[in-house]
Amino acid sequence: MWEGGERRPVDDHVAYGGRAVRSQRHQLLPVLHAIQDRVGWVSRGALEYACRRLSIPPAEAYGVVSFYARFALQPRGPLTLRVCDDIVCKLSGADEICAAVDAERTPCLGLCDLAPAALVERSGSPYEEMQVAPISLELAAKILQGGAWPDAPRRDEPRSAGQLLRRAGVYDPESLESYRAHGGFAALRRAREMGAEAVIREVTEARLLGRGGAAFPTGRKWESVAKAQARPHYLVCNADESEPGTFKDRVLMEADPFAVVGYIYIRAEYPLARERIENAIAQAREAGLVDIDIEVRRGAGAYICGEETALFNSIEGKRGEPRNKPPFPVEVGLFGKPTLPNNVETLVNVLDIVLDGGPAFASNGTNDSTGSRLFCVSGHVARPGLYEVMMGTPLRELLEQAGADNVQAVLLGGAAGSFLTPDQIDMPLSFEGTRAIGATLGSGAVIVFDETADMKQVLLRIARFFRDESCGQCVPCRVGTKRQEEILERMLAERNGDRRADVMLLSDIAQAMRDASICGLGQTAANAIASGLTQLKVLNGG
Ligand SMILES: Cc1cc2nc3c(=O)[nH]c(=O)nc-3n(C[C@H](O)[C@H](O)[C@H](O)COP(=O)(O)O)c2cc1C
Ligand code: SF4
């Protein structure tokens, strides 16, 4: 098996995939994926062969392959079932499924609108197949007995669509002609007529803030990269979307793949989105519409790779560990060159900015938060799904549209966000509205909990998430996320007693993580838990 089966995928990639970028190191992840796709796991022999072909020291390559959750270093059975037990799937019975069948657990798969969800992988024949789909106890049992393969999930159209989602569900996402027939490529034509400088001016005038979580002014970032002397300049489209409760970029890529360009980094758990984006690029290239290099990179199961500099390292074939900033990506980014990292939703907004002009875009929403925003509503609501609403819309309106009842709490912004209580839901959904109450829009995740939800379990799941996903590079985060989980477990387990010492300890750890962590993961790892402990009634009465 080793000789033929495992060398082929390596040779295919090194022979045809290589580009003139000094070393071949950046081919490491694609090669590892190719090996695993072909034979189901990455054996020592295959890794050593890949190292020889790519000139990478084996110890370093081992450090990379073992960093990513999706790579298997041991042979696996012909079928693996992983059930998502993250916040939303937990609310929908994931724990009961995990307790009843022999399934592994996985963090959020981005299918929260159809929770509970599972990832199923089947190897053999000869390529590996992957499906992410809704799961039930009955289906899980059938899959494990080899008697079923989950259907592709029913892809719901967005629940409410504005400018941004107007093409979703309207054209055939696998056909360039269909995209054209619905006005596709008009923005590309217009951008070419206008020229780069004018496009950047419109983006600046639109006052668009990044939709990836940090809300950085997009125009300012584009101006900085345009001014940078070093060449080439890279555009990295961040489609790693792993924030629990977030699935907007998946829907955008699945429903409107022709609208997205760049060095596109898509999480491994979005196979359909990747397929559609690759197909869109191939068709656009064949039709002579694209004259820049667009490369799709598959993530490998690491939440931290959504952090922009960790993502660059991952593309370069390294462990997905964030870099210290400065220098900032606009000066020293991917392969050490000026780089523009943008979220999928941010980039899709640019189409309308180019077509309608920056000032027209800025006339929507609020003064400080222009345009519309995508919200991923899930949990205890009658109509979970993706909603596009104007910035400034009260959270109450969104919850009413989604059919939320008996709300106990809302987790806004995912695990890195914070909990809101029913008295806060008149808050406007805008960057300034959330800031005013110490919350954040984050990735647009809106997870709703009704009175039946066990909030202790939710807080513990969030603490486990950060402990698992910390890359371990810096001490405050590596140790802090572990201690945070331990203390929380102790506090929530005790029925009575004085918890003041633990409350103080948690608060000290939170401060240390905020002040001394290298990246946003450590800096935000205590937010949801701190807000949960103060806002929710989890400590009283055991
Ligand atoms: C732990 C962590 C995970 C992140 N995950 C994502 C992600 O999945 N998608 C994303 O666009 N941005 C993510 N970000 C934010 C990126 O670092 C970066 O700010 C963003 O991609 C910039 O794009 P924007 O300006 O268009 O928002 C993450 C940040 C951190 C700290
Ligand atoms: S803060 Fe956490 S995730 Fe970020 S670099 Fe440090 S250890 Fe890694």
Side-chain angles (χ1 to χ4, degrees):
M1 181 176 80
W2 148 242
E3 285 299 321
E6 293 179 341
R7 283 189 180 199
R8 264 295 287 288
V10 181
D11 292 338
D12 285 354
H13 260 82
V14 179
Y16 306 120
R19 190 122 345 124
V21 188
R22 263 178 264 136
S23 94
Q24 299 256 46
R25 173 76 184 248
H26 68 289
Q27 286 295 343
L28 182 57
L29 260 73
V31 161
L32 293 172
H33 273 302
I35 295 170
Q36 184 152 305
D37 283 350
R38 191 72 64 99
V39 281
W41 66 295
V42 182
S43 71
R44 190 172 161 172
L47 188 62
E48 281 172 0
Y49 183 64
C51 286
R52 270 209 309 280
R53 293 293 321 262
L54 297 169
S55 308
I56 301 172
E60 261 195 68
Y62 182 81
V64 173
V65 71
S66 58
F67 180 85
Y68 296 93
R70 277 285 84 76
F71 294 130
L73 283 162
Q74 301 291 332
R76 295 182 298 173
L79 201 134
T80 329
L81 174 70
R82 290 194 180 84
V83 174
C84 169
D85 74 338
D86 220 311
I87 307 170
V88 181
C89 288
K90 211 178 241 317
L91 294 178
S92 312
D95 286 332
E96 288 73 15
I97 300 175
C98 291
V101 300
D102 184 21
E104 290 174 36
R105 291 170 184 257
T106 173
C108 186
L109 294 169
L111 203 70
C112 325
D113 46 342
L114 300 174
L119 182 151
V120 198
E121 286 170 289
R122 181 161 61 186
S123 55
S125 68
Y127 291 93
E128 182 140 309
E129 252 186 297
M130 177 195 278
Q131 181 79 279
V132 176
I135 193 82
S136 63
L137 184 52
E138 196 190 1
L139 180 59
K142 273 197 196 146
I143 291 171
L144 287 171
Q145 285 156 11
W149 180 251
D151 290 332
R154 171 178 51 87
R155 300 285 165 182
D156 274 346
E157 283 173 20
R159 297 283 183 179
S160 70
Q163 278 288 96
L164 203 58
L165 289 171
R166 68 181 182 282
R167 289 176 299 267
V170 172
Y171 79 93
D172 173 0
E174 297 185 353
S175 155
L176 180 129
E177 280 321 310
S178 172
Y179 182 62
R180 264 196 175 134
H182 288 86
F185 297 114
L188 182 62
R189 264 196 312 277
R190 181 87 191 92
R192 287 205 169 114
E193 287 159 15
M194 288 162 66
E197 235 172 79
V199 170
I200 295 171
R201 197 169 49 241
E202 296 299 335
V203 172
T204 304
E205 286 179 8
R207 303 201 305 280
L208 174 66
L209 300 180
R211 305 307 201 222
F216 192 84
T218 307
R220 204 183 316 154
K221 216 169 4 182
W222 287 33
E223 281 166 10
S224 304
V225 174
K227 275 195 216 127
Q229 297 295 321
R231 288 287 189 278
H233 292 173
Y234 291 107
L235 167 62
V236 171
C237 173
N238 189 340
D240 195 47
E241 188 164 75
S242 308
E243 186 66 52
T246 312
F247 48 87
K248 66 192 177 74
D249 298 337
R250 171 177 61 75
V251 175
L252 276 174
M253 289 185 288
E254 286 177 357
D256 199 5
F258 288 91
V260 188
V261 293
Y263 218 121
I264 309 173
Y265 188 97
I266 308 179
R267 66 178 297 197
E269 296 79 3
Y270 284 0
L272 182 65
R274 193 178 72 247
E275 212 177 288
R276 291 209 168 143
I277 292 277
E278 280 172 347
N279 171 62
I281 295 168
Q283 289 193 33
R285 204 181 286 294
E286 204 171 302
L289 289 160
V290 190
D291 51 9
I292 52 169
D293 280 339
I294 304 181
E295 202 166 320
V296 176
R297 284 302 181 96
R298 194 177 352 166
Y303 167 72
I304 192 57
C305 287
E307 196 281 337
E308 53 199 14
T309 58
L311 192 156
F312 302 155
N313 279 342
S314 181
I315 293 178
E316 290 179 17
K318 301 172 184 156
R319 291 163 69 89
E321 289 171 347
R323 302 174 184 171
N324 271 307
K325 288 187 260 189
F328 292 100
V330 291
E331 286 155 3
V332 182
L334 183 62
F335 301 115
K337 301 295 180 192
T339 301
L340 188 60
N342 270 134
N343 173 255
V344 177
E345 184 186 346
T346 311
L347 290 176
V348 176
N349 270 301
V350 174
L351 273 67
D352 287 321
I353 293 172
V354 165
L355 287 174
D356 304 335
F361 183 91
S363 67
N364 289 318
T366 71
N367 197 40
D368 292 334
S369 308
T370 56
S372 61
R373 183 79 213 252
L374 301 183
F375 289 99
C376 317
V377 186
S378 63
H380 290 138
V381 290
R383 291 173 290 281
L386 189 61
Y387 290 77
E388 178 177 356
V389 298
M390 276 302 162
M391 287 281 201
T393 303
L395 173 59
R396 178 185 297 280
E397 222 171 89
L398 181 65
L399 296 182
E400 279 168 7
Q401 279 187 50
D405 235 349
N406 296 323
V407 175
Q408 175 182 185
V410 175
L411 178 57
L412 189 61
S418 53
F419 286 97
L420 304 181
T421 45
D423 56 320
Q424 293 175 308
I425 61 178
D426 284 313
M427 176 211 64
L429 291 164
S430 63
F431 294 114
E432 65 279 15
T434 43
R435 213 168 25 240
I437 59 162
T440 164
L441 291 181
S443 56
V446 179
I447 307 178
V448 181
F449 306 88
D450 70 11
E451 294 292 346
T452 65
D454 180 348
M455 300 311 291
K456 286 185 182 182
Q457 290 306 318
V458 174
L459 290 190
L460 285 171
R461 183 65 187 89
I462 293 173
R464 175 152 64 89
F465 176 80
F466 282 113
R467 192 251 297 146
D468 280 345
E469 299 295 340
S470 164
C471 81
Q473 189 183 195
C474 56
V475 176
C477 172
R478 184 178 65 232
V479 180
T481 51
K482 189 155 174 35
R483 294 288 169 266
Q484 171 171 268
E485 187 189 19
E486 288 166 3
I487 298 167
L488 195 66
E489 270 173 0
R490 189 166 65 219
M491 285 168 75
L492 297 181
E494 277 171 10
R495 291 207 142 259
N496 290 303
D498 187 356
R499 300 192 187 89
R500 269 176 303 182
D502 276 344
V503 170
M504 296 266 292
L505 196 54
L506 260 189
S507 150
D508 283 353
I509 290 171
Q511 200 57 45
M513 288 199 289
R514 253 176 234 127
D515 292 346
S517 294
I518 288 182
C519 87
L521 186 146
Q523 288 155 12
T524 60
N527 289 1
I529 289 161
S531 81
L533 287 176
T534 47
Q535 304 268 60
L536 311 170
K537 296 187 197 77
V538 280
L539 288 179
N540 298 333

